[in-house]
Short mmCIF file of all heavy atoms in Angstrom, two decimals:
data_model
loop_
_atom_site.label_atom_id
_atom_site.label_comp_id
_atom_site.label_asym_id
_atom_site.label_seq_id
_atom_site.Cartn_x
_atom_site.Cartn_y
_atom_site.Cartn_z
N MET A 1 0.85 -1.20 0.00
CA MET A 1 0.00 0.00 0.00
C MET A 1 0.89 1.24 0.00
O MET A 1 1.96 1.25 0.58
CB MET A 1 -0.87 0.00 1.27
CG MET A 1 -1.86 1.13 1.31
SD MET A 1 -3.04 0.97 2.68
CE MET A 1 -2.05 1.57 4.04
N PHE A 2 0.41 2.26 -0.71
CA PHE A 2 1.16 3.51 -0.80
C PHE A 2 0.39 4.65 -0.14
O PHE A 2 -0.84 4.68 -0.19
CB PHE A 2 1.43 3.86 -2.25
CG PHE A 2 2.33 2.88 -2.96
CD1 PHE A 2 1.78 1.78 -3.63
CD2 PHE A 2 3.69 3.03 -2.95
CE1 PHE A 2 2.58 0.86 -4.28
CE2 PHE A 2 4.52 2.12 -3.61
CZ PHE A 2 3.96 1.04 -4.28
N ILE A 3 1.12 5.56 0.43
CA ILE A 3 0.53 6.78 0.99
C ILE A 3 1.23 7.97 0.37
O ILE A 3 2.45 8.04 0.37
CB ILE A 3 0.67 6.81 2.53
CG1 ILE A 3 -0.20 5.69 3.14
CG2 ILE A 3 0.26 8.17 3.08
CD1 ILE A 3 -0.10 5.60 4.64
N VAL A 4 0.44 8.88 -0.16
CA VAL A 4 1.00 10.07 -0.81
C VAL A 4 0.84 11.28 0.10
O VAL A 4 -0.16 11.39 0.83
CB VAL A 4 0.32 10.31 -2.18
CG1 VAL A 4 -1.17 10.57 -2.02
CG2 VAL A 4 0.99 11.49 -2.90
N SER A 5 1.81 12.16 0.07
CA SER A 5 1.69 13.42 0.82
C SER A 5 2.27 14.56 -0.01
O SER A 5 3.16 14.35 -0.85
CB SER A 5 2.38 13.32 2.17
OG SER A 5 3.75 13.09 1.99
N ILE A 6 1.74 15.75 0.20
CA ILE A 6 2.20 16.94 -0.52
C ILE A 6 2.61 17.98 0.50
O ILE A 6 1.85 18.30 1.41
CB ILE A 6 1.09 17.50 -1.44
CG1 ILE A 6 0.73 16.47 -2.51
CG2 ILE A 6 1.54 18.82 -2.07
CD1 ILE A 6 -0.40 16.91 -3.43
N ASP A 7 3.80 18.51 0.31
CA ASP A 7 4.28 19.60 1.18
C ASP A 7 3.78 20.92 0.58
O ASP A 7 4.29 21.40 -0.44
CB ASP A 7 5.80 19.57 1.25
CG ASP A 7 6.35 20.59 2.24
OD1 ASP A 7 5.67 21.60 2.52
OD2 ASP A 7 7.46 20.39 2.75
N GLU A 8 2.75 21.49 1.17
CA GLU A 8 2.14 22.69 0.61
C GLU A 8 3.07 23.90 0.69
O GLU A 8 2.88 24.88 -0.03
CB GLU A 8 0.81 22.97 1.30
CG GLU A 8 -0.24 21.91 1.03
CD GLU A 8 -1.60 22.25 1.60
OE1 GLU A 8 -1.89 23.45 1.78
OE2 GLU A 8 -2.37 21.32 1.87
N ASP A 9 4.08 23.86 1.54
CA ASP A 9 5.04 24.96 1.61
C ASP A 9 5.93 24.98 0.36
O ASP A 9 6.47 26.03 0.00
CB ASP A 9 5.91 24.83 2.85
CG ASP A 9 5.11 25.06 4.13
OD1 ASP A 9 4.08 25.77 4.05
OD2 ASP A 9 5.50 24.53 5.17
N ILE A 10 6.08 23.82 -0.27
CA ILE A 10 6.96 23.72 -1.43
C ILE A 10 6.17 23.79 -2.74
O ILE A 10 6.67 24.26 -3.75
CB ILE A 10 7.77 22.40 -1.38
CG1 ILE A 10 8.62 22.37 -0.10
CG2 ILE A 10 8.64 22.25 -2.60
CD1 ILE A 10 9.35 21.06 0.09
N CYS A 11 4.93 23.34 -2.71
CA CYS A 11 4.09 23.31 -3.93
C CYS A 11 4.02 24.70 -4.56
O CYS A 11 3.84 25.70 -3.89
CB CYS A 11 2.67 22.85 -3.54
SG CYS A 11 1.48 23.02 -4.89
N GLU A 12 4.16 24.71 -5.89
CA GLU A 12 4.11 25.98 -6.63
C GLU A 12 2.78 26.17 -7.36
O GLU A 12 2.62 27.12 -8.13
CB GLU A 12 5.28 26.02 -7.62
CG GLU A 12 6.62 26.08 -6.90
CD GLU A 12 7.81 25.96 -7.84
OE1 GLU A 12 7.61 25.63 -9.02
OE2 GLU A 12 8.93 26.20 -7.38
N GLY A 13 1.86 25.26 -7.15
CA GLY A 13 0.50 25.46 -7.66
C GLY A 13 0.29 25.27 -9.14
O GLY A 13 -0.62 25.86 -9.73
N CYS A 14 1.08 24.43 -9.79
CA CYS A 14 0.94 24.25 -11.23
C CYS A 14 -0.24 23.37 -11.60
O CYS A 14 -0.68 23.36 -12.76
CB CYS A 14 2.23 23.67 -11.82
SG CYS A 14 2.55 21.97 -11.35
N GLU A 15 -0.71 22.56 -10.66
CA GLU A 15 -1.87 21.66 -10.86
C GLU A 15 -1.59 20.44 -11.72
O GLU A 15 -2.51 19.69 -12.04
CB GLU A 15 -3.07 22.40 -11.45
CG GLU A 15 -3.91 23.14 -10.42
CD GLU A 15 -5.20 23.68 -11.02
OE1 GLU A 15 -6.18 22.93 -11.03
OE2 GLU A 15 -5.20 24.83 -11.45
N LEU A 16 -0.38 20.27 -12.18
CA LEU A 16 -0.09 19.15 -13.08
C LEU A 16 -0.31 17.81 -12.39
O LEU A 16 -0.79 16.86 -13.00
CB LEU A 16 1.34 19.24 -13.59
CG LEU A 16 1.61 20.39 -14.56
CD1 LEU A 16 3.10 20.43 -14.92
CD2 LEU A 16 0.73 20.29 -15.79
N CYS A 17 -0.01 17.73 -11.11
CA CYS A 17 -0.20 16.47 -10.40
C CYS A 17 -1.68 16.14 -10.27
O CYS A 17 -2.08 14.97 -10.37
CB CYS A 17 0.44 16.54 -9.03
SG CYS A 17 -0.23 17.84 -7.98
N VAL A 18 -2.48 17.16 -10.08
CA VAL A 18 -3.93 16.96 -9.93
C VAL A 18 -4.51 16.36 -11.21
O VAL A 18 -5.31 15.42 -11.16
CB VAL A 18 -4.62 18.31 -9.59
CG1 VAL A 18 -6.12 18.11 -9.45
CG2 VAL A 18 -4.03 18.90 -8.31
N GLU A 19 -4.09 16.93 -12.32
CA GLU A 19 -4.60 16.47 -13.61
C GLU A 19 -4.08 15.08 -13.95
O GLU A 19 -4.76 14.31 -14.64
CB GLU A 19 -4.17 17.44 -14.72
CG GLU A 19 -4.79 18.84 -14.51
CD GLU A 19 -4.08 19.89 -15.38
OE1 GLU A 19 -3.19 19.51 -16.19
OE2 GLU A 19 -4.40 21.07 -15.22
N GLY A 20 -2.91 14.75 -13.47
CA GLY A 20 -2.27 13.50 -13.88
C GLY A 20 -2.52 12.31 -13.00
O GLY A 20 -2.12 11.20 -13.36
N CYS A 21 -3.17 12.50 -11.88
CA CYS A 21 -3.34 11.38 -10.95
C CYS A 21 -4.47 10.45 -11.40
O CYS A 21 -5.63 10.85 -11.39
CB CYS A 21 -3.63 11.89 -9.55
SG CYS A 21 -3.99 10.56 -8.38
N PRO A 22 -4.15 9.21 -11.75
CA PRO A 22 -5.21 8.29 -12.21
C PRO A 22 -6.16 7.87 -11.08
O PRO A 22 -7.28 7.44 -11.36
CB PRO A 22 -4.43 7.09 -12.75
CG PRO A 22 -3.11 7.15 -12.04
CD PRO A 22 -2.84 8.60 -11.82
N ALA A 23 -5.72 8.01 -9.85
CA ALA A 23 -6.60 7.64 -8.73
C ALA A 23 -7.51 8.79 -8.29
O ALA A 23 -8.39 8.61 -7.47
CB ALA A 23 -5.74 7.20 -7.54
N ARG A 24 -7.28 9.98 -8.88
CA ARG A 24 -8.12 11.15 -8.59
C ARG A 24 -8.19 11.48 -7.10
O ARG A 24 -9.26 11.76 -6.57
CB ARG A 24 -9.52 10.96 -9.15
CG ARG A 24 -9.56 10.86 -10.65
CD ARG A 24 -9.33 12.21 -11.29
NE ARG A 24 -9.13 12.11 -12.73
CZ ARG A 24 -8.50 13.04 -13.45
NH1 ARG A 24 -7.98 14.08 -12.83
NH2 ARG A 24 -8.37 12.92 -14.73
N ILE A 25 -7.05 11.40 -6.44
CA ILE A 25 -7.04 11.70 -5.01
C ILE A 25 -6.33 13.01 -4.69
O ILE A 25 -6.18 13.36 -3.53
CB ILE A 25 -6.38 10.55 -4.19
CG1 ILE A 25 -4.98 10.24 -4.71
CG2 ILE A 25 -7.26 9.32 -4.21
CD1 ILE A 25 -4.23 9.21 -3.86
N LEU A 26 -5.89 13.72 -5.73
CA LEU A 26 -5.23 14.99 -5.50
C LEU A 26 -6.17 16.13 -5.91
O LEU A 26 -6.81 16.08 -6.94
CB LEU A 26 -3.92 15.09 -6.32
CG LEU A 26 -2.93 13.94 -6.05
CD1 LEU A 26 -1.68 14.17 -6.87
CD2 LEU A 26 -2.60 13.80 -4.58
N GLY A 27 -6.24 17.15 -5.07
CA GLY A 27 -7.11 18.28 -5.33
C GLY A 27 -6.32 19.58 -5.36
O GLY A 27 -5.11 19.60 -5.14
N PHE A 28 -7.04 20.68 -5.63
CA PHE A 28 -6.40 21.99 -5.74
C PHE A 28 -7.30 23.01 -5.04
O PHE A 28 -8.50 23.06 -5.28
CB PHE A 28 -6.22 22.35 -7.22
CG PHE A 28 -5.34 23.54 -7.44
CD1 PHE A 28 -3.98 23.47 -7.20
CD2 PHE A 28 -5.88 24.74 -7.90
CE1 PHE A 28 -3.16 24.58 -7.40
CE2 PHE A 28 -5.07 25.83 -8.13
CZ PHE A 28 -3.70 25.76 -7.88
N ASN A 29 -6.70 23.82 -4.18
CA ASN A 29 -7.51 24.77 -3.41
C ASN A 29 -7.47 26.19 -3.95
O ASN A 29 -7.86 27.12 -3.25
CB ASN A 29 -7.07 24.74 -1.93
CG ASN A 29 -5.67 25.29 -1.72
OD1 ASN A 29 -5.08 25.87 -2.61
ND2 ASN A 29 -5.15 25.10 -0.52
N GLY A 30 -6.98 26.31 -5.17
CA GLY A 30 -6.86 27.62 -5.77
C GLY A 30 -5.43 28.15 -5.71
O GLY A 30 -5.06 29.01 -6.51
N GLU A 31 -4.65 27.63 -4.79
CA GLU A 31 -3.25 28.05 -4.69
C GLU A 31 -2.29 26.87 -4.62
O GLU A 31 -1.20 26.92 -5.18
CB GLU A 31 -3.05 28.89 -3.40
CG GLU A 31 -3.70 30.24 -3.46
CD GLU A 31 -3.37 31.07 -2.23
OE1 GLU A 31 -2.45 30.70 -1.49
OE2 GLU A 31 -4.05 32.10 -2.04
N LYS A 32 -2.72 25.83 -3.94
CA LYS A 32 -1.84 24.69 -3.68
C LYS A 32 -2.57 23.38 -3.96
O LYS A 32 -3.80 23.30 -3.84
CB LYS A 32 -1.40 24.66 -2.22
CG LYS A 32 -0.76 25.95 -1.73
CD LYS A 32 0.68 26.09 -2.16
CE LYS A 32 1.29 27.35 -1.55
NZ LYS A 32 2.71 27.46 -1.86
N ALA A 33 -1.78 22.36 -4.28
CA ALA A 33 -2.34 21.03 -4.39
C ALA A 33 -2.38 20.41 -3.00
O ALA A 33 -1.56 20.74 -2.13
CB ALA A 33 -1.49 20.17 -5.33
N PHE A 34 -3.32 19.51 -2.78
CA PHE A 34 -3.41 18.80 -1.52
C PHE A 34 -4.04 17.43 -1.79
O PHE A 34 -4.62 17.19 -2.84
CB PHE A 34 -4.21 19.59 -0.49
CG PHE A 34 -5.67 19.77 -0.86
CD1 PHE A 34 -6.64 19.01 -0.24
CD2 PHE A 34 -6.05 20.69 -1.82
CE1 PHE A 34 -8.00 19.15 -0.58
CE2 PHE A 34 -7.39 20.85 -2.18
CZ PHE A 34 -8.36 20.09 -1.55
N VAL A 35 -3.90 16.57 -0.82
CA VAL A 35 -4.50 15.23 -0.94
C VAL A 35 -5.96 15.36 -0.53
O VAL A 35 -6.30 15.50 0.64
CB VAL A 35 -3.76 14.19 -0.08
CG1 VAL A 35 -4.37 12.82 -0.27
CG2 VAL A 35 -2.29 14.15 -0.44
N SER A 36 -6.84 15.34 -1.54
CA SER A 36 -8.25 15.58 -1.29
C SER A 36 -9.04 14.30 -1.08
O SER A 36 -10.13 14.31 -0.53
CB SER A 36 -8.86 16.35 -2.46
OG SER A 36 -8.73 15.60 -3.65
N GLY A 37 -8.46 13.18 -1.54
CA GLY A 37 -9.13 11.91 -1.38
C GLY A 37 -8.46 11.07 -0.31
O GLY A 37 -7.74 11.59 0.54
N ASP A 38 -8.70 9.77 -0.38
CA ASP A 38 -8.09 8.84 0.57
C ASP A 38 -6.63 8.65 0.19
O ASP A 38 -6.33 8.08 -0.85
CB ASP A 38 -8.86 7.53 0.52
CG ASP A 38 -8.35 6.51 1.55
OD1 ASP A 38 -7.23 6.73 2.11
OD2 ASP A 38 -9.03 5.51 1.77
N GLU A 39 -5.75 9.12 1.05
CA GLU A 39 -4.31 9.05 0.74
C GLU A 39 -3.83 7.62 0.54
O GLU A 39 -2.85 7.38 -0.16
CB GLU A 39 -3.50 9.70 1.86
CG GLU A 39 -3.67 8.98 3.21
CD GLU A 39 -2.93 9.68 4.34
OE1 GLU A 39 -2.42 10.79 4.11
OE2 GLU A 39 -2.89 9.10 5.43
N THR A 40 -4.55 6.65 1.10
CA THR A 40 -4.13 5.26 0.96
C THR A 40 -4.59 4.66 -0.36
O THR A 40 -4.27 3.50 -0.66
CB THR A 40 -4.67 4.41 2.12
OG1 THR A 40 -6.10 4.39 2.06
CG2 THR A 40 -4.24 4.95 3.48
N GLU A 41 -5.34 5.40 -1.16
CA GLU A 41 -5.74 4.90 -2.48
C GLU A 41 -4.70 5.20 -3.54
O GLU A 41 -4.89 4.90 -4.72
CB GLU A 41 -7.11 5.47 -2.88
CG GLU A 41 -8.24 4.87 -2.05
CD GLU A 41 -9.61 5.29 -2.54
OE1 GLU A 41 -9.70 5.96 -3.56
OE2 GLU A 41 -10.59 4.91 -1.88
N CYS A 42 -3.60 5.80 -3.12
CA CYS A 42 -2.48 6.03 -4.03
C CYS A 42 -1.98 4.69 -4.56
O CYS A 42 -1.79 3.74 -3.80
CB CYS A 42 -1.36 6.74 -3.30
SG CYS A 42 0.16 6.89 -4.25
N MET A 43 -1.78 4.62 -5.89
CA MET A 43 -1.34 3.38 -6.53
C MET A 43 0.18 3.30 -6.66
O MET A 43 0.70 2.34 -7.20
CB MET A 43 -1.97 3.28 -7.92
CG MET A 43 -3.50 3.23 -7.86
SD MET A 43 -4.25 3.02 -9.49
CE MET A 43 -4.14 4.68 -10.12
N GLY A 44 0.86 4.36 -6.26
CA GLY A 44 2.30 4.35 -6.34
C GLY A 44 2.84 4.47 -7.75
O GLY A 44 3.98 4.09 -8.02
N CYS A 45 2.05 5.02 -8.65
CA CYS A 45 2.47 5.08 -10.05
C CYS A 45 3.54 6.14 -10.31
O CYS A 45 4.19 6.12 -11.35
CB CYS A 45 1.25 5.35 -10.94
SG CYS A 45 0.58 7.01 -10.76
N GLU A 46 3.65 7.10 -9.41
CA GLU A 46 4.65 8.17 -9.48
C GLU A 46 4.41 9.17 -10.60
O GLU A 46 5.28 9.94 -10.94
CB GLU A 46 6.09 7.62 -9.54
CG GLU A 46 6.43 6.80 -8.31
CD GLU A 46 7.91 6.48 -8.20
OE1 GLU A 46 8.71 7.07 -8.96
OE2 GLU A 46 8.27 5.65 -7.34
N ALA A 47 3.22 9.12 -11.20
CA ALA A 47 2.89 10.10 -12.24
C ALA A 47 2.98 11.52 -11.69
O ALA A 47 3.44 12.44 -12.35
CB ALA A 47 1.49 9.82 -12.81
N CYS A 48 2.51 11.70 -10.47
CA CYS A 48 2.52 13.04 -9.86
C CYS A 48 3.95 13.50 -9.60
O CYS A 48 4.28 14.66 -9.87
CB CYS A 48 1.73 13.02 -8.56
SG CYS A 48 2.25 11.73 -7.37
N ILE A 49 4.77 12.61 -9.13
CA ILE A 49 6.17 12.97 -8.85
C ILE A 49 6.90 13.35 -10.13
O ILE A 49 7.69 14.29 -10.15
CB ILE A 49 6.87 11.80 -8.13
CG1 ILE A 49 6.32 11.67 -6.71
CG2 ILE A 49 8.38 12.02 -8.09
CD1 ILE A 49 6.89 10.50 -5.95
N SER A 50 6.60 12.64 -11.20
CA SER A 50 7.33 12.89 -12.44
C SER A 50 6.98 14.25 -13.04
O SER A 50 7.79 14.82 -13.79
CB SER A 50 7.07 11.77 -13.45
OG SER A 50 5.73 11.78 -13.88
N VAL A 51 5.80 14.80 -12.74
CA VAL A 51 5.44 16.10 -13.31
C VAL A 51 5.73 17.25 -12.35
O VAL A 51 5.68 18.42 -12.73
CB VAL A 51 3.97 16.17 -13.76
CG1 VAL A 51 3.73 15.20 -14.90
CG2 VAL A 51 3.01 15.91 -12.61
N CYS A 52 6.01 16.96 -11.10
CA CYS A 52 6.21 18.01 -10.10
C CYS A 52 7.64 18.50 -10.11
O CYS A 52 8.56 17.77 -9.71
CB CYS A 52 5.83 17.50 -8.70
SG CYS A 52 6.03 18.79 -7.45
N GLU A 53 7.83 19.74 -10.56
CA GLU A 53 9.18 20.29 -10.65
C GLU A 53 9.68 20.81 -9.33
O GLU A 53 10.87 21.08 -9.17
CB GLU A 53 9.21 21.38 -11.72
CG GLU A 53 8.96 20.83 -13.10
CD GLU A 53 9.14 21.89 -14.19
OE1 GLU A 53 9.37 23.06 -13.85
OE2 GLU A 53 9.07 21.50 -15.37
N SER A 54 8.80 20.98 -8.37
CA SER A 54 9.23 21.54 -7.10
C SER A 54 9.61 20.46 -6.06
O SER A 54 10.16 20.77 -5.02
CB SER A 54 8.12 22.42 -6.50
OG SER A 54 6.99 21.63 -6.20
N GLY A 55 9.30 19.21 -6.38
CA GLY A 55 9.66 18.15 -5.45
C GLY A 55 8.80 18.13 -4.20
O GLY A 55 9.26 17.71 -3.14
N ALA A 56 7.57 18.55 -4.34
CA ALA A 56 6.69 18.70 -3.17
C ALA A 56 5.97 17.40 -2.79
O ALA A 56 5.37 17.33 -1.72
CB ALA A 56 5.65 19.79 -3.44
N ILE A 57 6.03 16.41 -3.67
CA ILE A 57 5.24 15.20 -3.45
C ILE A 57 6.11 14.05 -2.99
O ILE A 57 7.19 13.81 -3.52
CB ILE A 57 4.51 14.80 -4.76
CG1 ILE A 57 3.71 16.00 -5.28
CG2 ILE A 57 3.59 13.60 -4.50
CD1 ILE A 57 3.07 15.75 -6.62
N SER A 58 5.61 13.34 -1.99
CA SER A 58 6.33 12.15 -1.51
C SER A 58 5.36 10.97 -1.49
O SER A 58 4.17 11.12 -1.20
CB SER A 58 6.81 12.37 -0.08
OG SER A 58 7.57 13.54 0.03
N ILE A 59 5.91 9.81 -1.79
CA ILE A 59 5.12 8.59 -1.70
C ILE A 59 5.85 7.63 -0.77
O ILE A 59 7.06 7.45 -0.88
CB ILE A 59 4.95 7.93 -3.08
CG1 ILE A 59 4.18 8.86 -4.02
CG2 ILE A 59 4.19 6.60 -2.96
CD1 ILE A 59 4.18 8.36 -5.44
N MET A 60 5.11 7.06 0.14
CA MET A 60 5.68 6.11 1.09
C MET A 60 4.98 4.77 0.93
O MET A 60 3.76 4.71 0.91
CB MET A 60 5.50 6.66 2.51
CG MET A 60 6.13 5.81 3.59
SD MET A 60 6.07 6.68 5.19
CE MET A 60 4.30 6.91 5.37
N GLU A 61 5.76 3.71 0.80
CA GLU A 61 5.16 2.37 0.75
C GLU A 61 5.10 1.83 2.16
O GLU A 61 6.10 1.83 2.89
CB GLU A 61 5.98 1.44 -0.15
CG GLU A 61 5.30 0.09 -0.35
CD GLU A 61 5.95 -0.71 -1.47
OE1 GLU A 61 7.03 -0.32 -1.95
OE2 GLU A 61 5.37 -1.74 -1.84
N VAL A 62 3.93 1.37 2.56
CA VAL A 62 3.77 0.88 3.93
C VAL A 62 3.22 -0.53 3.91
O VAL A 62 2.70 -1.01 2.92
CB VAL A 62 2.80 1.78 4.74
CG1 VAL A 62 3.43 3.16 4.92
CG2 VAL A 62 1.45 1.90 4.07
S1 LIG B 101 1.56 8.11 -7.23
FE1 LIG B 101 0.00 7.99 -8.84
S2 LIG B 101 -1.88 7.36 -7.79
FE2 LIG B 101 -0.44 8.09 -6.21
S3 LIG B 101 -1.00 10.24 -5.92
FE3 LIG B 101 0.67 10.15 -7.44
S4 LIG B 101 -0.36 10.11 -9.46
FE4 LIG B 101 -1.89 9.60 -7.85
S1 LIG B 102 2.89 19.18 -9.46
FE1 LIG B 102 3.99 19.82 -7.59
S2 LIG B 102 4.09 22.05 -7.75
FE2 LIG B 102 2.51 21.37 -9.20
S3 LIG B 102 0.59 21.51 -8.01
FE3 LIG B 102 1.39 19.39 -7.80
S4 LIG B 102 2.59 19.43 -5.87
FE4 LIG B 102 2.28 21.55 -6.53
#
């Protein structure tokens, strides 16, 4: 199982991770991305990490 987290202090608000997440668990509050769904539904595909230029996203396998 994977758990995703986003450091909102680092996020630059590009929204690319939100659009690219196949599990649809990432949201956008107008300024920053955040985990809007069940963080444990992350599939570990790393699509979000690959598009995030700020390095704000972390995935942990548990
Ligand atoms: S690793 Fe994949 S499923 Fe998990 S949050 Fe990122 S894009 Fe979504
Ligand atoms: S891809 Fe990175 S910088 Fe862009 S909204 Fe997502 S977490 Fe923020």
Side-chain angles (χ1 to χ4, degrees):
M1 185 171 80
F2 295 90
I3 293 178
V4 61
S5 62
I6 297 177
D7 186 335
E8 293 186 26
D9 292 334
I10 300 175
C11 171
E12 295 173 349
C14 70
E15 277 188 88
L16 291 176
C17 60
V18 179
E19 296 165 5
C21 175
R24 295 287 170 202
I25 55 174
L26 305 182
F28 191 70
N29 67 10
E31 291 185 12
K32 307 281 184 175
F34 65 103
V35 182
S36 60
D38 183 345
E39 63 184 7
T40 65
E41 289 187 5
C42 172
M43 299 183 280
C45 69
E46 299 192 12
C48 54
I49 290 176
S50 67
V51 295
C52 181
E53 294 186 354
S54 64
I57 307 175
S58 306
I59 298 171
M60 184 171 59
E61 187 168 9
V62 295

